[in-house]
Amino acid sequence: MKNVLIVTVLLALLPFCLNAQEDVEKDAIKKVIQSAYVDGLQNKGPVSDIEKGFHPGFNLLGLRNDDLTKWPIYSWIKYHENELKENPGPPKEDEIVTCKYPVIDITGTAAIAKIELFKGGKKIFTDYLSLYKFEDGWRVVSKIYFRYETKK
């Protein structure tokens, strides 16, 4: 009888343990996205943080004039480095990009994150990031996006 009670209690606690582990993984994914992408690429952060969070095989896929474009991470980093050389100071307050995380879905070592980027209180992008968990942690491996039109 005692064994049945122990098994019942363990089975009842199992969903809570699984949810706690998923929350840990979601937090790790948010940390990578925030450090490498939002603070790194969007807000003029250090290249080392970008390289930690993006896999070298990363590609940004875009849609322009009904054509699919592809931009590898090394090109994006080179663009970032050139921006830092031209304007090394931190972004002005109204240029700082912030992020919301409406969806993070994880299956084993694969994940997707739907994120929304804001500048000056206005939504500028909705991004869909694909991530894999490697031995050294989560890394962004691809991105597709939607850019919101800004009225000038």
Side-chain angles (χ1 to χ4, degrees), residues 21-85:
Q21 181 58 34
E22 185 167 306
D23 288 344
V24 167
E25 296 297 342
K26 285 182 179 181
D27 287 343
I29 288 169
K30 287 179 185 178
K31 184 177 177 183
V32 166
I33 293 169
Q34 187 67 43
S35 174
Y37 181 40
V38 180
D39 294 339
L41 283 168
Q42 295 293 330
N43 290 319
K44 300 172 70 176
V47 171
S48 60
D49 288 351
I50 297 165
E51 290 174 335
K52 282 183 211 170
F54 284 86
H55 188 273
F58 167 91
N59 280 300
L60 183 160
L61 301 175
L63 185 61
R64 289 213 176 114
N65 301 321
D66 215 29
D67 288 325
L68 186 64
T69 62
K70 185 173 162 182
W71 207 24
I73 192 62
Y74 58 83
S75 295
W76 204 358
I77 289 174
K78 188 68 174 166
Y79 177 81
H80 177 76
E81 289 172 332
N82 289 337
E83 281 189 331
L84 290 176
K85 284 178 190 172

